[in-house]
Amino acid sequence: MVDIDDLVFTYGSGGFQLRVPKLALARGERLAIVGPSGSGKTTLLNLIAGILTPDSGQILVDGAAVTGLGEAARRRLRASHIGFVFQDFALLDYLSARQNILYPYRITPALSLTPEVRARAQVLAAACGIGDKLDRHPAALSQGEKQRVAICRALVTQPKLILSDEATGNLDPDSKARILDLLFEQAAAAGAAVLAVTHDHELLPRFERVLDFAQYRQEAPV
Ligand code: ADP
Ligand code: MG
């Protein structure tokens, strides 16, 4: 589902450089990424999603070279294949929770907002424990509730690849386990691979593989 070769990325301002010689994620595989803050975990997810562009190297998502695509094609690939739960949620304040969850359908012409999709959003929200809060705006939601909205938005398109950045970070232990169950259930039903950055070490046994990111940390040469 993901194939990375000789990836090098440097932020324009210099300073931090990420090098990932080789990383492969099979269809349906569940991989956890751990590592110290600032080791480039979020950067890697942004590279896979085509939000950032590497200096060199190759990233394939479902056989398509993200790195060779233009901006519009990358956006299409993202919409059709990837569900991204952002570390800071990235909800839009002026939209209700329901509109946030359905947002991918607003911005992606290839996705059509059918009654089935609306029903799926409702079922997901109920399973996440926010079924009765869908008309609220983010300002009226707790951190944990915002996180659940972000998770529902990532799952509603039934993506083949779920990228999750600390998706359980703001939840209590019971909710963490329940949300991860839901994420894995949805992933299994859709045959989706999960790449999850997490600091919750008690959740690691639930993944098939754990990658420690400390090894990839490198400063750019000055
Ligand atoms: P992690 O998610 O593992 O905590 P990040 O990928 O967010 O780490 O960041 C890796 C490094 O890149 C950090 O040193 C961070 O300060 C730096 N960094 C992140 N975003 C930017 C940016 N937009 N411009 C320059 N440096 C950045
Ligand atoms: Mg991060």
Side-chain angles (χ1 to χ4, degrees), residues 11-14 16 35-44 87 165 197 213 217:
Y11 279 106
S13 45
F16 180 81
S37 176
S39 58
K41 305 180 298 294
T42 297
T43 303
L44 176 72
Q87 189 163 20
D165 205 352
V197 172
F213 231 59
R217 177 154 205 174

Side-chain angles (χ1 to χ4, degrees), residues 69-149:
L69 300 173
E71 174 56 28
R74 267 186 286 154
R75 200 173 310 134
R76 271 200 302 279
L77 181 75
R78 195 147 70 222
S80 58
H81 282 70
I82 300 178
F84 201 144
V85 187
F86 294 92
Q87 189 163 20
D88 57 3
F89 319 136
L91 300 182
L92 295 163
D93 293 332
Y94 62 92
L95 297 179
S96 68
R98 184 192 320 277
Q99 290 168 326
N100 267 288
I101 292 171
L102 295 172
Y103 189 67
Y105 292 85
R106 265 184 199 232
I107 56 165
T108 319
L111 297 178
S112 72
L113 183 49
T114 60
E116 286 78 9
V117 171
R118 289 185 175 279
R120 184 159 72 235
Q122 186 69 52
V123 168
L124 274 172
C128 282
I130 52 165
D132 57 342
K133 305 204 164 86
L134 289 178
D135 293 323
R136 292 199 198 171
H137 283 64
L141 296 171
S142 72
Q143 290 296 100
E145 288 163 351
K146 284 182 208 172
Q147 195 146 42
R148 292 158 206 244
V149 172

